Amino acid sequence: MSNKKSNVLPWTFLDDFRGKEFTSKWPTVKQMFHISCLRYPNNSCFKVFTPKKMEFTYSEAEAKIKSVANYLLSRGVKKGDKIGVSGKNSPEWAIAYLGVIYAGCIVVPLDYLLKDGEMEILLKFGGVSRLFIDKERIRNIDADGNVGLKEKISLEPDDPDYRYVLDLEGPDKEGYAADSQEVAAILFTSGTTGTPKGVMLTNENLVSDCYLAQGNMQLYPTDVFYAILPIHHAYTMLAVFFESFSVGACTVFGKKLVVTQILRELREGGVTMFLAVPMLFNKMIGALMDGVKKKGLLLYALIRFMMGISGFIKKAFGVNVGKKMFGFLLKKLSLESNRICICGGGPLPASTFKMFNELGIDFVQGYGLTETSPITHLNPTYAYIESSVGKAIPEVEVKIVDPDSEGNGVIYIKGPMVMKGYYNNEEATREVLSEDGWLDTGDVGHEDANHYLYLTGRAKNIIVTDGGKNVFPEEIEDHFQLYGEIEQICIIGYLANAATKAEGIRAIVYPSDAARKQYDKAGLEKRISEIIHDVNQELQSYKKITRIDVVDEPLSMTSTKKIKRNDVKAKYGD
């Protein structure tokens, strides 16, 4: 770790290719990948360990990508045709995605966990003409022909009825040229109801965001990224997939969110860049600290004391002593070769952030939305703030609209990574995107003088309590992330006073498997009540939880492990 920022911009090397490989300010997605192929042809590009090991160098990957593009062109695709990709994380997924781009078409990554009917609605709405998908679902999608897909191609081998993506070929042909301002991908946001919201991201959106994010974080061609979260989602797609190939690094694809398999792949892949969501990082640090406690409270106290010293030295002097001091603990998390952990996709307790850094991991948070490609803020490893979601990356402008007495207001973002708009939905576009390019994020928070951002919650989730006080559910939920007895918690409002329409604070709690095994029903409810009582002591009076519901079924979640708040309200609301 360095406590200083380099004066050399990470994208300066592009000057060597400007005028030869591209002419705009930024290359297109295709040009960005091709430049890395020219710079690092023999570097490992894509790798997977299960169900069988597969690996491609950059030159091998580009050859397969061109074969996919040639096949699509031979089948008569036209410039701007929309082609879907949906499946588990894999090199085949990546090659299909880039093959669509190389052909000059628009790629539409789709959530593999969508039900058949849900996926078909998006395919039809998006005008998708062809679909790459895993073989276990390939027969079900558009089985009746209502979507009108021209072709389905398998992302897995050994299906006699469908072509396999790695076997595709066609006459050599240059794909349709794409302009940096043209749409490269359409991403449908999770939890879409009513008219679908397909975020149109241009080549410039994606490529500028990929490079500008490196203004807050140095990446190297020797890095190994780990794609364990769903790759169709903007977070993994950009922060892992795009970032890795922008610098000639490797992506290791993980297929299952199973901790034992994750730890094995982290170690076997020699992963240096591990990006995940709060739930996973909380489980990892919680299990590690519980393991230390079982060795004895004296040892636990000593470890935590030494961690405090390590963290102080790191923050005060920029010297990372934690990796040497706690290498034996990092091995238990398979993070001994790890360089940086990045958390995104939701709020993370400052205590988790702090503990990883104390153990010697450069652990940082980021912020962004699908509509911003998605990265707008990232904590620099050389100047991180545990309570902040990050510092604005270069060329990002932020304004806080209608701030309250504490300075918290709606966050607006402007920059080259802000989307072009929603596909076939001008009304929704106008609601969030001004003519001069300011995006209403719908998030509430404040920014400090050094452009670090602090989140409070989502504007649409505000609970208005007696006296007109605004409460953000996310603020309260954050306090429960390290309690092992609670697997999921969702804070919603309930009508506490019909006359004033004031709301009370209600907690919907799904206990962990361990807690349900340890306690009977009465004991479990008592333990959850004790935890709620302890947390209430930390909260201001108008934020205290006044109603608790312990439920028997897990709360529905998105593929990136966010609770679907609207589903919870519909099921458990008054």
Side-chain angles (χ1 to χ4, degrees):
M1 173 187 163
S2 171
N3 62 348
K4 293 184 179 180
K5 179 182 178 181
S6 171
N7 292 323
V8 179
L9 295 174
W11 52 88
T12 300
F13 76 90
L14 289 175
D15 291 340
D16 296 337
F17 298 91
R18 189 173 279 105
K20 302 171 187 175
E21 300 298 330
F22 69 100
T23 55
S24 300
K25 178 178 179 180
W26 300 104
T28 63
V29 174
K30 174 181 177 180
Q31 290 163 345
M32 179 169 69
F33 188 85
H34 181 62
I35 288 169
S36 285
C37 292
L38 294 175
R39 298 176 77 202
Y40 307 105
N42 299 317
N43 277 17
S44 180
C45 182
F46 303 137
K47 185 184 295 186
V48 69
F49 295 112
T50 57
K52 64 179 181 179
K53 187 173 181 179
M54 182 187 295
E55 184 173 2
F56 295 89
T57 65
Y58 271 83
S59 59
E60 290 169 342
E62 188 173 41
K64 286 294 183 183
I65 290 162
K66 287 180 176 178
S67 291
V68 172
N70 288 337
Y71 173 81
L72 292 173
L73 292 165
S74 73
R75 301 289 287 183
V77 298
K78 299 292 187 290
K79 178 179 172 66
D81 278 3
K82 292 174 283 295
I83 300 177
V85 181
S86 182
K88 297 180 287 293
N89 294 1
S90 66
E92 290 98 329
W93 190 102
I95 286 167
Y97 182 107
L98 289 169
V100 173
I101 296 288
Y102 265 58
C105 299
I106 296 171
V107 64
V108 183
L110 293 164
D111 188 347
Y112 192 64
L113 296 183
L114 288 171
K115 296 176 182 176
D116 293 347
E118 294 171 333
M119 187 179 291
E120 288 173 349
I121 288 172
L122 298 183
L123 288 168
K124 195 164 186 176
F125 177 82
V128 174
S129 62
R130 287 174 168 80
L131 176 66
F132 292 86
I133 190 167
D134 286 358
K135 66 180 181 182
E136 64 186 2
R137 297 193 63 186
I138 198 166
R139 285 170 175 77
N140 297 340
I141 300 300
D142 197 27
D144 56 9
N146 285 337
V147 175
L149 291 174
K150 295 179 180 178
E151 186 176 13
K152 292 182 284 186
I153 300 167
S154 179
L155 292 175
E156 297 174 306
D158 305 324
D159 190 319
D161 298 325
Y162 295 93
R163 288 180 167 85
Y164 173 42
V165 62
L166 297 186
D167 291 337
L168 299 180
E169 56 184 19
D172 284 342
K173 186 176 181 181
E174 189 66 28
Y176 298 103
D179 183 84
S180 62
Q181 300 302 316
E182 291 178 335
V183 175
I186 298 175
L187 278 63
F188 286 97
T189 57
S190 59
T192 297
T193 56
T195 304
K197 288 184 178 178
V199 178
M200 296 188 293
L201 298 176
T202 66
N203 280 276
E204 182 182 61
N205 289 154
L206 293 164
V207 173
S208 68
D209 196 48
C210 182
Y211 285 120
L212 291 171
Q214 295 172 38
N216 286 16
M217 179 168 296
Q218 186 71 48
L219 303 179
Y220 303 98
T222 52
D223 276 323
V224 179
F225 288 72
Y226 186 43
I228 184 58
L229 300 176
I231 199 169
H232 77 276
H233 191 272
Y235 176 37
T236 307
M237 190 185 75
L238 195 290
V240 176
F241 180 42
F242 273 57
E243 291 291 1
S244 66
F245 72 67
S246 74
V247 296
C250 177
T251 295
V252 171
F253 295 92
K255 290 180 179 287
K256 292 183 180 178
L257 266 172
V258 177
V259 173
T260 53
Q261 185 168 317
I262 289 171
L263 297 182
R264 185 171 65 251
E265 289 174 341
L266 285 172
R267 179 173 290 115
E268 191 173 349
V271 172
T272 65
M273 303 291 295
F274 181 29
L275 290 79
V277 291
M279 181 190 74
L280 184 54
F281 284 124
N282 286 330
K283 283 188 174 183
M284 290 175 73
I285 199 70
L288 183 68
M289 290 296 108
D290 284 346
V292 175
K293 280 182 184 176
K294 289 177 182 177
K295 299 290 185 182
L297 290 179
L298 185 61
L299 176 63
Y300 176 75
L302 177 61
I303 293 284
R304 290 307 304 269
F305 175 72
M306 296 302 292
M307 284 171 63
I309 293 174
S310 167
F312 171 77
I313 293 172
K314 190 178 185 189
K315 286 216 76 170
F317 304 106
V319 178
N320 188 355
V321 298
K323 256 196 168 173
K324 290 185 177 179
M325 292 172 64
F326 304 111
F328 67 102
L329 289 177
L330 294 177
K331 281 186 178 181
K332 294 181 181 297
L333 297 177
S334 297
L335 294 177
E336 62 266 32
S337 64
N338 186 268
R339 196 168 67 81
I340 298 174
C341 285
I342 303 177
C343 184
L348 181 80
S351 55
T352 298
F353 193 157
K354 186 177 182 180
M355 280 191 281
F356 271 100
N357 272 294
E358 289 174 340
L359 289 170
I361 295 294
D362 284 345
F363 190 98
V364 298
Q365 286 195 84
Y367 170 76
L369 301 89
T370 304
E371 289 84 348
T372 59
S373 302
I375 305 169
T376 63
H377 291 73
L378 198 59
N379 258 292
T381 56
Y382 54 85
Y384 60 89
I385 298 176
E386 288 96 342
S387 56
S388 169
V389 293
K391 184 176 183 178
I393 65 174
E395 297 190 26
V396 165
E397 298 178 62
V398 177
K399 65 179 179 181
I400 306 298
V401 176
D402 297 328
D404 60 19
S405 58
E406 297 178 349
N408 291 307
V410 179
I411 300 163
Y412 279 65
I413 300 286
K414 188 176 184 180
M417 66 290 298
V418 171
M419 69 171 181
K420 187 172 185 176
Y422 295 117
Y423 177 75
N424 275 358
N425 199 336
E426 291 184 10
E427 182 180 353
T429 301
R430 286 194 299 269
E431 286 177 2
V432 300
L433 191 60
S434 68
E435 290 185 4
D436 59 349
W438 283 100
L439 176 76
D440 177 351
T441 68
D443 286 324
V444 176
H446 65 275
E447 189 183 38
D448 68 19
N450 293 316
H451 303 295
Y452 283 81
L453 188 66
Y454 302 80
L455 291 187
T456 307
R458 292 287 291 170
K460 66 181 180 181
N461 296 336
I462 289 176
I463 300 169
V464 183
T465 63
D466 201 16
K469 290 286 190 179
N470 290 340
V471 175
F472 294 92
E474 297 89 346
E475 278 190 299
I476 300 174
E477 290 163 356
D478 284 352
H479 289 265
F480 294 92
Q481 291 198 44
L482 295 180
Y483 282 96
E485 297 92 338
I486 294 178
E487 180 70 22
Q488 296 171 303
I489 184 166
C490 184
I491 300 297
I492 61 176
Y494 70 93
L495 189 61
N497 188 322
T500 63
K501 305 294 184 184
E503 296 179 283
I505 311 297
R506 180 183 179 190
I508 309 295
V509 180
Y510 176 64
S512 65
D513 287 341
R516 280 182 279 125
K517 290 176 182 176
Q518 184 177 352
Y519 302 98
D520 60 20
K521 185 175 181 181
L524 185 59
E525 291 184 352
K526 180 182 178 184
R527 176 58 187 143
I528 297 299
S529 294
E530 290 171 351
I531 293 173
I532 299 288
H533 177 270
D534 290 345
V535 169
N536 271 343
Q537 304 310 303
E538 304 170 11
L539 301 172
Q540 294 166 280
S541 58
Y542 65 91
K543 295 181 180 178
K544 293 185 187 298
I545 296 166
T546 53
R547 182 172 167 184
I548 309 167
D549 291 275
V550 180
V551 299
D552 297 325
E553 298 178 356
L555 308 180
S556 60
M557 303 181 80
T558 68
S559 57
T560 52
K561 304 305 176 184
K562 290 182 182 177
I563 291 173
K564 295 181 178 179
R565 199 177 301 275
N566 286 338
D567 287 3
V568 175
K569 288 179 180 178
K571 187 170 184 176
Y572 298 106
D574 292 328

